[in-house]
Amino acid sequence: MLALQALCILLCVPLVLSGTQICSDPDNNAYSIITCGAPGKDGLPGKDGTNGLKGEKGEQGLTGPAGLPGIAGPPGLRGEQGPSGPKGEKGDSGTSALEALRKQVLTLNGQVNALQSQLTQQKKAFTFFKGGANAGEKIYVSNGGQTDFIDAKSVCSKAGGQLASPRNTAENQAVLSIRSQYEVHAYLGITDIQAEGTFRYLTGERITYSNWATGEPNNVQGVEHCAEMYDTGKWNDKNCSEKRLVICEFN
């Protein structure tokens, strides 16, 4: 063994000089020969290998620990309270409102009463001046003119009234008081022109009051369709073309 080592030592120098090195392995009592020439050039890059098979899905990992709770922020600043508004005026009580309404009603009643009194006085003055008469709320007036029935209706209508049409004893008496001032019979606003024997007011209503003279109406010669008042206040049917006193009624 010693001879071999000595041989190796002798050979080391020329081998090293020639680019070859002999190395010993003390553990295995062996020697290796390494060529110490210049390093070789890099080789060509290798091709990419094929992709391997997709691995199986791994098991779910353990749940991580819960995070720490967040820290609450500081509370917001509270705004300052604004100043109080002015105190409102005290409203009227229900009693005050009722009292004011009562006063208004009393005032209106007073005005209405005053107007009614003035109207009554005017009616009296009017009837006295014109030679008229009144019964209740109705006023009867005549201008003394005489005409046929058609014109008599027209005269009263243009004046804002109608031919006198008494509906009760008081009204008939008022018309008679005017008729008595003249020496001619007066027309009444009553006819049976629509239907013979059925006398109606000018409004078309059947009469609800009558004061016919004995034996009237008799429709002499079939031409008496209008009504007139005698000086007694009794009624008679008359030919509408005859001229009679015009007495108008206002209400």
Side-chain angles (χ1 to χ4, degrees), residues 193-206:
I193 294 175
Q194 293 182 349
E196 173 59 34
T198 302
F199 282 83
R200 299 175 183 272
Y201 299 114
L202 299 180
T203 57
E205 306 169 77
R206 297 184 63 169

Side-chain angles (χ1 to χ4, degrees), residues 67-75:
L68 297 176
I71 300 175

